[in-house]
């Protein structure tokens, strides 16, 4: 089935970037068990990269954890949407919550039916979870052979992969406006806000664009000729 093929493609493509996380984490000073525990328990790539990046730069552990937490808050919003799309049994939801991430959300929402969304979510989540944790282990073990992980820019691998997956889905004028404003907010606030906070502020791009469009439509209706009341 096409949905299985696409879901596996996403799982494999993104799962391989676990090499980058494992090498970056181990190269930044975290132990093998700590690195693997992050992938097993946290399992949200951007938050993991944010945490190890802050720690390797000499940041306070509490501050680093707070930044990673703020960055991971986006998954809660994904969960609200996916709960409606997937409508999973109550007994399954606590386990499925571990797989509510960028990639599973993108694949699920791209499906036209609930059955397809559930299948896409399951295949993407399972393949990505298994491969991400395997490559995290291999990357951490091979960190010494790689050398200076900062010189390789490995922390950019995960975001780059997801951007490549997301870009083809941005088609309408509204979606492009939201994406552009989100980029401006995220990059513009990066030097002045703590790690993770610019992403949360960038999430305001969607309601801001929708609000602006609503006001413009309202003015258009007010300016249109009609009957006196």
């Amino acid at each position: 089935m096409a949905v299985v093929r696409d879901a596996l493609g996403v799982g494999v493509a993104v799962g391989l970037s676990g090499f980058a996380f494992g090498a970056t984490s181990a190269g930044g000073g975290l132990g093998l068990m700590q690195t693997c525990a992050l992938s097993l328990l946290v399992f949200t790539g951007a938050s993991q990269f944010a945490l190890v990046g802050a720690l390797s730069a000499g940041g306070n552990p509490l501050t680093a954890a707070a930044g990673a937490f703020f960055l991971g808050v986006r998954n809660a919003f994904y969960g609200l949407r996916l709960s409606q799309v997937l409508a999973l049994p109550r007994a399954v939801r606590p386990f499925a919550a571990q797989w509510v991430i960028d990639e599973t959300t993108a694949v699920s929402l791209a499906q036209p039916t609930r059955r397809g969304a559930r299948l896409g979510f399951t295949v993407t989540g399972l393949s990505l979870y298994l491969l991400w944790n395997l490559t995290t282990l291999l990357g951490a073990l091979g960190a010494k052979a790689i050398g200076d992980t900062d010189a390789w820019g490995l922390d950019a691998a995960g975001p780059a992969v997801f951007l490549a997956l997301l870009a083809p889905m941005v088609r309408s004028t509204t979606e492009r406006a939201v994406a552009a404003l989100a980029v401006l907010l995220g990059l513009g606030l990066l030097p002045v806000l703590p790690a993770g906070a610019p992403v949360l502020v960038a999430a305001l791009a969607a309601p801001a664009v929708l609000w602006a469009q609503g006001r413009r439509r309202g003015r258009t209706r007010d300016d249109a000729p009609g009957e006196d009341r």
Side-chain angles (χ1 to χ4, degrees):
M1 295 175 63
V3 62
V4 174
R5 183 191 64 238
D6 295 342
L8 282 175
V10 172
V12 172
V14 181
L16 291 175
S17 61
F19 280 115
F21 171 72
T24 301
S25 179
L30 272 70
L32 177 63
M33 295 301 294
Q34 292 172 315
T35 297
C36 292
L38 280 174
S39 284
L40 284 168
L41 302 177
V42 179
F43 187 54
T44 170
S47 295
Q48 293 177 231
F49 276 113
L51 178 64
V52 300
L55 291 176
S56 62
N60 183 286
L62 292 178
T63 303
F69 171 79
F70 285 131
L71 193 57
V73 165
R74 71 194 189 282
N75 293 337
F77 295 100
Y78 293 161
L80 293 174
R81 178 64 179 131
L82 287 179
S83 66
Q84 300 173 342
V85 173
L86 301 177
L88 296 173
R90 290 184 180 273
V92 178
R93 292 175 190 176
F95 303 98
Q98 176 71 351
W99 291 351
V100 176
I101 54 175
D102 299 322
E103 293 77 13
T104 55
T105 301
V107 172
S108 299
L109 296 182
Q111 308 310 316
T113 65
R114 175 164 293 168
R115 181 177 180 276
R118 286 180 172 181
L119 184 59
F121 178 85
T122 302
V123 174
T124 305
L126 179 60
S127 61
L128 182 49
Y129 188 76
L130 293 176
L131 190 55
W132 177 267
N133 280 281
L134 174 61
T135 55
T136 292
L137 172 62
L138 296 177
L141 291 173
K144 291 184 179 180
I146 294 176
D148 184 6
T149 56
D150 289 339
W152 292 82
L154 295 178
D155 56 340
V161 170
F162 184 67
L163 183 60
L165 295 170
L166 181 64
M169 301 178 64
V170 180
R171 299 188 182 99
S172 69
T173 301
T174 299
E175 291 168 346
R176 287 193 289 267
V178 170
L181 181 58
V183 170
L184 290 175
L185 288 172
L187 294 180
L189 296 174
L190 193 61
V192 297
L193 292 181
V199 174
L200 295 179
V201 177
L204 298 175
V209 169
L210 293 176
W211 176 80
Q213 288 184 339
R215 282 183 59 87
R216 186 174 58 191
R217 292 193 186 103
R219 286 197 298 267
T220 302
R221 286 195 297 267
D222 291 341
D223 293 340
E227 296 180 1
D228 295 333
R229 299 183 180 180

